[in-house]
Amino acid sequence: MTVHFRKPTQIEVPTEAHAEAWAAEFGVSVHSLLTAMRTVGTDAEAVGQYLAAFREPMGAYVDQMKARLDEIEVLVERLGEERRSIVSFLEGFAQLQRTQRNQRMHAAAGSTGADLYTLTVTAEGGSVQDRRDGGVGSPPVRDVYRAPQGSSAEIGDTVYRLLADGRRRSLHEILSFLEVRGIAAKGANPSAFLSTLLSRDERFDPNRRDGWGLKGRP
């Protein structure tokens, strides 16, 4: 004998277990089931129709969001490529500017190779010929383009050797000399930094008209 069970037409949830069973029947959460029952009542067919109507637009919306996400990911990838291209261009442009600036600084200092060599030797003492020949008591001339960037003390000592010939020089000339030696003044404003550094060093004497010199020198 076959026994047929008729599906209930009314939803009853006297216990949590009943609510979970009916929620599983409709494929929704218990919260969604109870919300539907408060809206349309306990009729199983009405509740089912309500939940189906609710799921369909949400399902379509979810599909739209997934499609939009795919579009965004493609856009992000394209923007990433564009960003890398722009960064590469800006880095190359910055390098070109640094090269052109160094060339202008060298030109302002009269920087042919021989001029730079002579300027360095004169600032550090000794004749050009003695220094080239490695004369007694004359250390070899350092490559002015490869000198490491110095500390404040090294900057002061380098400027001192530059001004030892007795000729006063402007901040621009001093900065140019430091630049070609590979020694950069610190900070966003190198002129202000160098001026402050030299002002605090008792060896140097500023003159608004003639520039910087050594104290005790004409």
Side-chain angles (χ1 to χ4, degrees), residues 86-96 98:
I86 292 174
V87 169
S88 178
F89 166 78
L90 292 177
E91 288 177 347
F93 183 73
Q95 179 63 39
L96 177 62
R98 286 193 294 269

Side-chain angles (χ1 to χ4, degrees), residues 68 71-88:
R68 180 55 181 163
E71 294 175 357
I72 291 174
E73 289 178 347
V74 172
L75 180 61
V76 168
E77 184 176 355
R78 291 177 180 174
L79 289 176
E81 293 177 355
E82 183 177 358
R83 179 185 180 278
R84 287 189 292 271
S85 176
I86 292 174
V87 169
S88 178

Side-chain angles (χ1 to χ4, degrees), residues 143-157:
D143 188 338
V144 295
Y145 293 105
R146 297 182 183 177
Q149 182 173 345
S151 62
S152 296
E154 184 179 2
I155 292 176
D157 291 342

Side-chain angles (χ1 to χ4, degrees), residues 36-157:
M37 292 176 65
R38 285 194 295 270
T39 304
V40 300
T42 60
D43 183 77
E45 184 176 356
V47 170
Q49 291 175 351
Y50 174 86
L51 292 173
F54 178 76
R55 280 198 304 269
E56 286 179 1
M58 286 303 296
Y61 181 73
V62 169
D63 290 340
Q64 291 176 4
M65 291 299 98
K66 289 180 179 179
R68 180 55 181 163
L69 180 60
D70 290 339
E71 294 175 357
I72 291 174
E73 289 178 347
V74 172
L75 180 61
V76 168
E77 184 176 355
R78 291 177 180 174
L79 289 176
E81 293 177 355
E82 183 177 358
R83 179 185 180 278
R84 287 189 292 271
S85 176
I86 292 174
V87 169
S88 178
F89 166 78
L90 292 177
E91 288 177 347
F93 183 73
Q95 179 63 39
L96 177 62
Q97 284 187 313
R98 286 193 294 269
T99 300
Q100 292 176 340
R101 183 171 62 251
N102 289 339
Q103 291 174 345
R104 288 195 298 269
M105 296 288 281
H106 296 167
S111 58
T112 63
D115 292 337
L116 288 173
Y117 180 86
T118 302
L119 181 59
T120 302
V121 172
T122 303
E124 295 185 352
S127 70
V128 172
Q129 187 62 43
D130 287 343
R131 298 299 291 283
R132 284 176 175 168
D133 296 340
V136 178
S138 299
V141 177
R142 291 173 296 177
D143 188 338
V144 295
Y145 293 105
R146 297 182 183 177
Q149 182 173 345
S151 62
S152 296
E154 184 179 2
I155 292 176
D157 291 342

Side-chain angles (χ1 to χ4, degrees), residues 137-183:
S138 299
V141 177
R142 291 173 296 177
D143 188 338
V144 295
Y145 293 105
R146 297 182 183 177
Q149 182 173 345
S151 62
S152 296
E154 184 179 2
I155 292 176
D157 291 342
T158 303
V159 175
Y160 181 86
R161 291 194 296 272
L162 169 65
L163 301 179
D165 62 358
R167 184 165 70 87
R168 289 181 175 271
R169 291 176 174 82
S170 66
L171 276 178
H172 177 72
E173 291 176 309
I174 296 173
L175 283 169
S176 297
F177 181 74
L178 293 173
E179 178 75 18
V180 298
R181 293 180 63 85
I183 303 175

